Amino acid sequence: MATNKEVRHRVTGENPTLKSEMPADQREGSRGRGLRVAAVALLSAFLAASCATTEEEPREYDESYRPQYHFTPPQNWMNDPNGLVYHEGEYHLFYQHNPSGNDWGNLSWGYAVSSDFVHWEHLPVAIEETDELHIYSGSAVFDADNTSGLGTADTPPLVAIYTGHHKMRSIQDQRIAYSLDNGRTWEHYEGNPVVDDLRSNFRDPKVFWHEDTDRWIMAVALPTFHRIQFYSSPNLLDWELESEFGPAGSTDGHWECPDLFRLPVEGSNGESRWVLQVDINDGAIAGGSGAQYFVGTFDGSTFRKDPETEGEVHWVDYGPDFYASQSYSGMPDDRHVRLAWMSNWNYARNKPTDPWRGAMTVPRQVRLIQTAEGPKLAQQPVEELKSLRGEGVHLKDVSISDSDSAYTDDALEGISYELVVKVEPQDAHTFGLRLRKGEEEQTVIGYDVAEEELYVDRTQSGRSDFDPDFPGPVQRVPLPLHDGGITLRILVDRSSVEVFADRGQVAMTNRIFPDHSSDGIELFAEGGTVRLKEFDFWPLTSVW
Ligand code: FRU
């Protein structure tokens, strides 16, 4: 007779989370090991339902490691997000894609749309490579006033600005394609390229409309020179070089995928600041590729970083799997939303997924928050993701001490879920969570009280034999205690963990490749006791 767990695995190919509310008497003021929820009735009901579906074929998007609420292409290779634009009720998501293989190559723009940032409809490849060119990364805008003349007053175009990478000559230039049917079909502009400097490394144009000077601005990278160039244009077709920024900050690797945007500074007197994000490959904070940013001013011509931000490099995300992030243009509300490729060039090509390779982070709303060290970026998953929350487990005021070698609860398990955890260390020197825990696997999100540092340890997180660079060292980031505690929001999916802390000022993104059966969640304290002020767990429903 199979155990409950075995039955569930066999039936669905995954290990769905038990959805249970803690009984009220155990929810508040309960303590440590005593708290174990049987959930027998729920489990029996679940098993009855599961058995009925034993003969069903596994559903699509059910492969090992297939994220259940993060965007992935149905098949084949994906890297950077491209052309993120909202238009006519849809969030358009283009991406670097190999339409005919699961390795980097044949670079084209893959395509999907969503009306809620959560459910995505896959569409045919939007812009295909040509005999001469790979279609490298770039951005897209809605040319509402038809400044380009590529549409009409009645049907203004969506315009994509991408890098053409010449296959035979070692040259990269900036090019235009346009669509008059909301992205479904694209024409290349006859006058391409629109910016050409005969350079072999010149790529990733991010274009936006600059209100104050009434013109388009393009930020584009000179990767090997550690410079970002800014061009201006009245019509998206004729571009003039305005200025250059860099080298600055981290210059250990090539600079790629710039993004420039303005945000209000929360906690200031109505000020706003410009943020220039510059990705770097390699030499980033967690090794390999990553994203740094500069805060400053932009007058439509020149970006100047604030003098007080000299010195320390600011990282958008402190984990190893956050690259090539880009902002949505033309948002229908005043939110600033971005998403990134959840990978790292160090091992991207070897990740053990098939028939696809590559995933995006969840879309994140980004804000600028005033701090003692100047304005800092903060990010949180978009609100829409809350719609995936199933029935959760909620605990309040539970003490965990090192004599409870680990605290867990029968109702707490899963492989696609969200956690919000508010903890106050008392006399413990270390505490944290062991997630995706199996007999020999775990991903640890921990806090070192003396150092006031958050850490993520994926050294035993699951498969790592595919690349020696993958597990990497334990990642550590300063995280001061606030009101004597810390609050973590954690998104776990079949092959990723995203951690947000300190109102989102700290984000750490990791891919992990644990076994399906590694579904345990444990809380631990070392050297003393911690107080779990609040603990919220929600299973997240698959979007597929
Ligand atoms: C970043 C990047 C870009 C380039 C694209 C090619 O990941 O190297 O600079 O445009 O990928 O796929």
Side-chain angles (χ1 to χ4, degrees):
M1 168 87 184
T3 64
N4 297 341
K5 258 190 187 171
E6 283 164 353
V7 171
R8 298 213 308 266
H9 294 174
R10 226 179 33 218
V11 169
T12 62
E14 73 172 307
N15 188 3
T17 308
L18 253 190
K19 299 169 181 175
S20 130
E21 288 281 351
M22 298 294 294
D25 58 341
Q26 297 184 356
R27 216 174 299 147
E28 313 227 336
S30 332
R31 170 116 195 1
R33 303 296 276 164
L35 204 155
R36 282 194 165 268
V37 178
V40 172
L42 269 174
L43 191 55
S44 326
F46 180 76
L47 281 172
S50 304
C51 289
T53 60
T54 309
E55 302 309 322
E56 273 178 21
E57 288 293 308
R59 62 190 163 79
E60 270 187 275
Y61 298 99
D62 203 23
E63 304 95 340
S64 279
Y65 311 133
R66 173 73 88 168
Q68 295 298 288
Y69 59 92
H70 287 83
F71 180 81
T72 51
Q75 58 185 27
N76 294 332
W77 170 270
M78 174 178 84
N79 58 292
D80 313 357
N82 293 153
L84 303 185
V85 61
Y86 173 87
H87 186 51
E88 292 191 354
E90 291 175 329
Y91 300 105
H92 299 256
L93 165 54
F94 304 90
Y95 52 88
Q96 286 289 280
H97 186 47
N98 180 352
S100 49
N102 204 10
D103 289 310
W104 186 84
N106 310 317
L107 273 301
S108 303
W109 279 25
Y111 188 24
V113 293
S114 170
S115 57
D116 63 1
F117 274 138
V118 176
H119 301 90
W120 295 93
E121 180 191 348
H122 294 291
L123 293 169
V125 170
I127 309 179
E128 263 182 84
E129 64 163 342
T130 66
D131 290 345
E132 294 87 43
L133 293 177
H134 287 295
I135 312 297
Y136 269 20
S137 284
S139 49
V141 293
F142 174 49
D143 182 14
D145 293 333
N146 192 31
T147 60
S148 61
L150 295 170
T152 62
D154 290 342
T155 313
L158 275 180
V159 177
I161 309 95
Y162 63 87
T163 296
H165 175 93
H166 293 252
K167 293 177 180 172
M168 303 306 286
R169 301 149 65 212
S170 176
I171 282 183
Q172 299 181 339
D173 53 30
Q174 317 318 321
R175 294 173 174 250
I176 297 275
Y178 60 99
S179 168
L180 302 179
D181 56 3
N182 200 21
R184 276 27 180 206
T185 59
W186 291 83
E187 292 290 331
H188 289 281
Y189 168 54
E190 282 184 359
N192 277 333
V194 292
V195 187
D196 183 7
D197 224 357
L198 296 178
R199 292 180 186 268
S200 50
N201 280 289
F202 179 39
R203 58 180 176 268
D204 308 336
K206 177 69 167 100
V207 171
F208 65 93
W209 179 255
H210 188 253
E211 299 276 349
D212 297 349
T213 56
D214 238 10
R215 57 188 183 171
W216 299 101
I217 299 294
M218 174 196 296
V220 59
L222 297 177
T224 50
F225 293 103
H226 308 116
R227 281 194 219 138
I228 303 302
Q229 292 191 320
F230 300 103
Y231 289 78
S232 68
S233 169
N235 57 10
L236 293 164
L237 308 176
D238 305 304
W239 293 93
E240 207 168 289
L241 179 63
E242 293 287 334
S243 67
E244 288 186 352
F245 173 81
S250 177
T251 53
D252 288 346
H254 288 178
W255 278 20
E256 298 183 320
C257 301
D259 196 356
L260 179 64
F261 47 94
R262 177 152 72 186
L263 288 174
V265 183
E266 289 180 19
S268 75
N269 288 334
E271 277 175 52
S272 67
R273 272 283 176 288
W274 287 83
V275 177
L276 176 63
Q277 178 189 298
V278 178
D279 284 8
I280 162 167
N281 178 37
D282 56 6
I285 179 81
S289 33
Q292 61 179 325
Y293 69 96
F294 305 92
V295 177
T297 57
F298 180 69
D299 58 8
S301 174
T302 307
F303 175 81
R304 293 184 182 83
K305 73 181 157 73
D306 291 344
E308 63 269 24
T309 60
E310 273 317 326
E312 206 188 320
V313 177
H314 295 296
W315 298 99
V316 182
D317 190 292
Y318 291 84
D321 291 299
F322 182 94
Y323 199 60
S325 65
Q326 187 178 109
S327 314
Y328 263 90
S329 73
M331 282 292 290
D333 47 39
D334 57 9
R335 290 187 300 173
H336 191 92
V337 174
R338 324 183 74 233
L339 55 83
W341 179 42
M342 196 158 53
S343 194
N344 189 311
W345 280 116
N346 267 1
Y347 44 74
R349 294 176 176 87
N350 298 333
K351 282 193 312 260
T353 62
D354 185 47
W356 87 102
R357 200 174 269 132
M360 297 301 177
T361 63
V362 291
R364 301 176 182 182
Q365 182 178 352
V366 174
R367 299 173 303 139
L368 257 189
I369 299 184
Q370 188 64 282
T371 74
E373 298 97 51
K376 287 215 170 139
L377 271 190
Q379 48 189 322
Q380 290 286 356
V382 290
E383 279 297 300
E384 287 90 331
L385 277 167
K386 291 184 178 165
S387 68
L388 298 177
R389 288 176 176 176
E391 207 177 322
V393 174
H394 309 285
L395 308 173
K396 237 181 181 352
D397 290 324
V398 178
S399 287
I400 301 165
S401 73
D402 55 1
S403 54
D404 310 324
S405 58
Y407 171 88
T408 187
D409 183 297
D410 290 348
L412 279 183
E413 59 180 31
I415 61 176
S416 282
Y417 56 87
E418 176 180 354
L419 290 169
V420 176
V421 189
K422 226 181 212 176
V423 195
E424 279 178 13
Q426 297 188 315
D427 52 353
H429 59 67
T430 308
F431 63 87
L433 297 121
R434 300 187 188 109
L435 306 176
R436 297 303 309 270
K437 183 158 174 57
E439 263 167 40
E440 290 174 0
E441 297 178 344
Q442 59 181 14
T443 300
V444 185
I445 319 292
Y447 189 73
D448 178 331
V449 181
E451 298 294 330
E452 295 198 51
E453 275 180 355
L454 178 71
Y455 64 89
V456 176
D457 178 352
R458 69 168 179 191
T459 55
Q460 297 168 64
S461 58
R463 256 195 90 172
S464 63
D465 57 343
F466 54 90
D467 196 300
D469 273 342
F470 177 73
V474 175
Q475 308 142 38
R476 302 180 77 93
V477 56
L479 179 65
L481 292 165
H482 272 299
D483 301 327
I486 61 164
T487 302
L488 303 176
R489 183 160 175 205
I490 303 171
L491 291 179
V492 174
D493 204 344
R494 284 193 187 181
S495 56
S496 63
V497 177
E498 287 160 284
V499 183
F500 302 89
D502 202 5
R503 296 182 293 165
Q505 286 178 81
V506 167
M508 280 172 117
T509 302
N510 275 267
R511 296 302 300 276
I512 52 169
F513 299 98
D515 194 78
H516 251 64
S517 61
S518 298
D519 61 358
I521 299 173
E522 279 183 5
L523 295 140
F524 68 91
E526 288 167 7
T529 304
V530 295
R531 187 117 192 111
L532 201 55
K533 297 288 289 175
E534 271 168 48
F535 179 93
D536 296 302
F537 162 86
W538 296 273
L540 296 180
T541 320
S542 171
V543 302
W544 301 119

